[in-house]
Each structure stands twice: as C-alpha cells, then as structure tokens.
Amino acid sequence: MGSAAVLRVGNASGFYGDRFSAVQEMLTGGPLDVLTGDYLAELTMLILARDRIKDPATGYAKTFLRQMEECLGLALERGVRIVVNAGGLAPARLAEALRELAGRQGLDPAVAHVEGDDLLPRRAELGLPEGLLAANAYLGAFGVAECLKAGADVVVTGRVTDAALVAGPAIAHFGWAADELDALAGAVVAGHVLECGAQATGGNYAFFREHDVTRPGFPIAELHADGSSVITKHPGTGGAVTTGTVTAQLLYETGGARYLGPDVTARLDSVRLTQEGPDRVQIDGVRGEAPPSTLKVGLNSLGGYRNEVVLVLTGLDIEAKAALVRRQLDEALPPEVRPAGMRWTLARTDHHDADTEEGASALLRLTARDRDPAKVGRELGKAAVELGLSGYPGFHLTAPPGPGSPYGVFTAAYVDAEEVEHTAVLPDGGRIAIAPAPRRVAPPVPAADGPGAPVPAAGLPAPLPPGPARRAPLGLVVGARSGDKGGDANLGVWARDDAGWSWLAHTLGIDLLRRLLPETADLPIERHLLPNLRAVNFTITGLLGEGVAAQHRFDPQAKALGEWLRSRHLDIPEALL
C-alpha cells in the first residue's frame, strides 16, 4: 500500500444502523489512509439471512451503498481506501452493485471482495446441523490484505473478524508475514478498539459526565510497523480518547487474557496503555501467540415465534394484582393452546405517592414462545383481551397483542481452518486462495477462578490495608462495560488507579458477583484478571439464553449489565471514595 511510517486507519460504523453521516465526517475531518466500517453482528446476520429468503438478490448492508452514493467520489479524490464487512451474506453482489453505482457516477474504482465464509452450501459436508438460515466462518485479515496489495480502492467482505478490517490494511501496508505474531496481535488489538466506533471515544462510557459526549467523533488508529498504535480522533470532534475509554472498549465482548483469532492469538494481559496527550492513547507491548487450529462459525436458525403482552398495574396492591392476572391467564390458556415457553417479569417502575399516573404504575410483561405461531398470536391475544372487564382494577395493556413474530437462535460451531476456502477476489477478477495460518495450536483452555477460589497473586498489588468503609454504589470507584457473545454475557470491570485495582482484584470475585447480580446465581461464571488494564473480566454462561435474536431477557444483549452492577451497594473503603 505504501511506505509511510504510520498508517492512519479510521472507523465510520460500529453496527448496521450506526450514524449515517459518519463516512462523510471521517473523510472530511482530517487525513486518513483507510476508512473501515463494521456492519455485522450476530443479529445482523440473521436479519440479512431473512432478507435473502425474501429476495435472493439481497443479503448485504444496503446502507453502505447509500453512503457510497454520497461519498465514493470523495474517498477516491482523497486517496482513502475503504474496507468494510458490509457484504454480509453476499459480498460478490455488493461488489457488483458498487461497480454499477460508480459507473452511474462516472467513477471507476478498483473494487475487490473476500469470500469463502459462507458455509451453508457445505453444511452436510462439514457436519453442521440442519435447519440453518446462515452459517458463516469468521475469516482473518490476509484476504483483505491481498485485495489491497492488488490495488483495490474498496474491499468488501462477508463475515470476517471485526479486527480484520484494521489488521488487513496493516498487513498490506507493512508487509507483515503470517509468523510476525506480535505485530499482528498489536493490529488486532487496535482493530478491536476501533470496531465499535464511538464506543472508543466516549460513547456508552461509564464516566460519561466527565466529557462532552453529545456527539462523539469516531476513532482512528495510527499504526506503526511493530504493531503498536495510537488511538485518536479527528480534531474538533466530540467525545474523548482516554485510557479509560480505550480500556472500556478493550474489555467489551472479550473474555480471558487470550483473545483468539484466525491469524493470531492476542494476549490482552500484555497490553500497555499510555495517555500520550489530549485524545491520544498509545497501545504497545502487545504479544501474540499462534492462532487456534479451528475457525469459529456463527450459526443462525429460526427458533420459533414469540410475542409479548405488557400489562399496566397502577397504584396499590401491585403484587396482588400481578398474581391475579397470572392466575387468570393460566386458567384461560388450556394445554392445547398454551405456549411452550411463558416468562413473567414484573418491573416495579411505580413510585410511592406519585404525582403522575405513569409514576404510580408498574409493568408486568409476559413473554411467550412456541414453534406454533398461533399459540403466541391469536390465542394469547384473545385470552389477554378477554380479561378487559374481569381483571384487576385499572386493567389495561400498553398495546393490543399482535401476531407472533419469528425469532432467531445464534450458536457457535468450530471447523478446521483447512476446510474453509478463504478467497480474495481481486479487482481484475483474479482469485487468490488464502492459506490458513502456518502455525496453529489447539485452543487453550481458559483459566478461571472457581467459586470461592483465592485471587491469584501474580501481578497484583498487595491488598489495601484495613480501614473504615462506607456503604456506597460500586460505580463510584469502578467503571464497567458489558455485552453479548451468543447466549453468554461478558462483563468487564476496571479500576482507575492502583489503589482501586488492589481493592477490586481482591474483592470482586465470583461469589460476590452472584450476590450483587442475583440473576446470575445459578449460572456458570468465569473470572479473568488483566492487571495491565486494572481489570476483572467475567463471562456469564447462558444469561442471554439463545442469544439476542431470541429476546430471552429484558436487556437481551447485556448492554446495561455493567451499569446494573455499578449501581449495587456494598462496603467500600473510605480511602477510595
């Protein structure tokens, strides 16, 4: 790509539906070499799969085409290359659509794409289950790199790892080989920081009141030949880039010290963060290990149909009113029409002696699931509506029940990397087969603290000396960020100084987490320590049921799980407050 000592890679999308204007903002806000965009998530792949069923010509993120309609000429004029995973389930079709768009505008970009992640046509051969809507392997960065080395102005991919969008340009620019693991790991860490857009610049940040995050800018990584980087943003844009905002994003949707990928395993416990200046955080020291011998495959299937009935309970006797309507609906739904899954949750949003009716009301939510759409549609709605004049006093619903809607299930499988036909399709139509990483190992078994296990001493400061404590919210002294990985939740918690880290590491174990978050009491939990980041990272298995598309719980992606934890009260040393 070039010989400059620094490669400036920006991000303009963290998900399908992110700020539409970000592409133009990033192209006009300052110098860039590459602009990336992450449009895919587990739920997005399901949405695209359903689109493809309705119209086989679709299956990609249409928003990207509209953004390119406005900005492709600008990117070409400024010499900024575009790398996105907006191809979804149809990268070749998106590449062709982009060429057609460019032709209508009198432009002639070199467009390439990466394919081979779609394993649905080979389902039986690879031993994947039946009934899938989509099956996509998470490819690495070397296909992107080959497209760029061949002169591509735009590279569109299907399901690659999010970090590959940044690591691919770095490989092409610096000429890294597959065995330069430390450099690759550094680029993967930078890519992980960038992949969620404004989450690295103050979006969704625990200490948001310390910065103006009304409209945060999007992040940039200045990558160096050794894999180190500086995370920054365009001058004059909102938000902030601090060791805190970068730490929060590093903990997002990760688990233990080893961050597995198809090209390299990045050691998150080796990451060093330094505030180099205003809105500039240096990342260095990242060590890499051989990647696993398998590739993760995201499997999306139709789980059945779901519906919700939300009842409003107002004033006195909230618990008794909830109990009454539950009994009534149980009797109104005989076994032959009863949904297979019925989950009740009561949200006590009511306030004592409230001065508005809404403030005096609680919400009782029934979530129903079944393979038969009729059981969660007409029958359920009929039973709820018929209680209109025979229920609890003040009976009403937030909305009339509608028909049930299909929901998806996400699961992960693993296939041998040798079985996946990772291919770079170059601008001239040439095809390059991308070989798996030459040095591969079996995925390491993560080490986690069991319930009640002592905190490992290695790398930790001594415990804080005894002193007075005060009952207070945990969030006064720590930050947190949480998210989803299929049916599991990730919850990262970090301290802002060494004293806070000493207390956090020796205090917040699995047993205490279960007490603070009772919803996790019966679930398997892993705990990982990352001393360089002053962080504890938890993986809570099964909290999200069958994944975000199944809408298993109130917060189906665990986005606010960390904020719930920060709101819980416990005894905190006064020296930290």
Side-chain angles (χ1 to χ4, degrees), residues 39-368:
Y39 293 78
L40 302 184
E42 294 164 0
L43 179 61
T44 313
M45 299 301 280
L46 176 66
I47 293 170
L48 294 177
R50 291 175 60 188
D51 287 348
R52 185 171 62 176
I53 291 172
K54 297 174 185 175
D55 181 358
T58 61
Y60 54 80
K62 298 174 185 176
T63 298
F64 172 70
L65 266 185
R66 292 195 290 117
Q67 289 170 315
M68 288 297 96
E69 190 171 6
E70 291 185 2
C71 297
L72 179 58
L74 180 62
L76 294 172
E77 175 188 320
R78 299 198 169 207
V80 179
R81 289 169 146 183
I82 305 292
V83 180
V84 297
N85 60 13
L89 301 177
R93 283 200 291 273
L94 176 57
E96 185 55 36
L98 190 60
R99 293 186 189 98
E100 292 172 0
L101 181 154
R104 292 194 299 270
Q105 296 186 342
L107 302 173
D108 187 25
V111 180
H113 71 275
V114 176
E115 62 185 29
D117 61 297
D118 186 359
L119 303 185
L120 195 60
R122 302 172 58 204
R123 181 201 61 77
E125 171 195 347
L126 296 172
L128 300 175
E130 297 181 357
L132 298 175
L133 298 178
N136 296 82
Y138 287 72
L139 304 180
F142 279 86
V144 171
E146 289 295 338
C147 291
L148 292 170
K149 287 194 288 185
D153 298 306
V154 184
V155 181
V156 297
T157 77
R159 179 73 278 184
V160 299
T161 65
D162 299 339
L165 302 175
V166 173
I171 292 166
H173 185 81
F174 296 114
W176 296 333
D179 61 357
E180 295 186 62
L181 297 179
D182 289 348
L184 290 171
V188 164
V189 168
H192 179 57
V193 174
L194 261 60
E195 70 186 50
C196 289
Q199 278 198 170
T201 58
N204 300 347
Y205 183 51
F207 303 105
F208 68 96
R209 291 191 297 175
E210 298 177 358
H211 310 285
D212 181 4
V213 294
T214 306
R215 188 180 176 86
F218 278 66
I220 297 166
E222 297 175 354
L223 288 148
H224 299 268
D226 62 355
S228 65
S229 62
V230 172
I231 306 300
T232 185
K233 62 187 183 70
H234 282 322
T237 56
V241 178
T242 69
T243 55
T245 66
V246 173
T247 294
Q249 177 55 27
L250 281 173
L251 295 174
Y252 182 65
E253 295 184 346
T254 60
R258 288 180 169 90
Y259 187 55
L260 304 183
D263 303 313
V264 66
T265 296
R267 291 295 299 259
L268 297 182
D269 55 351
S270 66
V271 175
R272 291 195 303 259
L273 302 181
T274 306
Q275 192 77 45
E276 188 182 77
D279 294 322
R280 293 182 64 80
V281 172
Q282 178 175 296
I283 301 176
D284 64 6
V286 184
R287 300 299 304 274
E289 297 176 346
S293 58
T294 55
L295 295 184
K296 178 181 176 180
V297 183
L299 306 178
N300 281 283
S301 57
L302 182 64
Y305 297 83
R306 69 180 299 279
N307 207 345
E308 278 191 353
V309 176
V310 182
L311 303 109
V312 183
L313 315 173
T314 303
L316 305 177
D317 305 317
I318 296 293
E319 301 284 348
K321 289 171 180 174
L324 171 60
V325 74
R326 289 186 61 168
R327 289 197 308 271
Q328 290 178 313
L329 272 175
D330 281 344
E331 292 185 7
L333 292 169
E336 62 271 17
V337 298
R338 182 186 302 274
M342 295 178 64
R343 178 176 175 143
W344 293 90
T345 55
L346 176 60
R348 293 301 302 263
T349 52
D350 54 304
H351 300 282
H352 174 71
D353 194 22
D355 58 3
T356 66
E357 183 177 335
E358 186 174 4
S361 299
L363 298 176
L364 178 64
R365 178 178 286 104
L366 168 60
T367 303

Side-chain angles (χ1 to χ4, degrees), residues 449-455 507-518 520-523 525-527 538 565 570:
D449 297 335
V455 175
T507 302
L508 189 57
I510 291 175
D511 286 345
L512 178 57
L513 185 74
R514 293 189 197 279
R515 292 198 298 273
L516 294 175
L517 305 182
T520 71
D522 299 322
L523 299 174
I525 299 176
E526 293 179 356
R527 176 181 185 262
F538 297 93
L565 177 66
L570 71 165

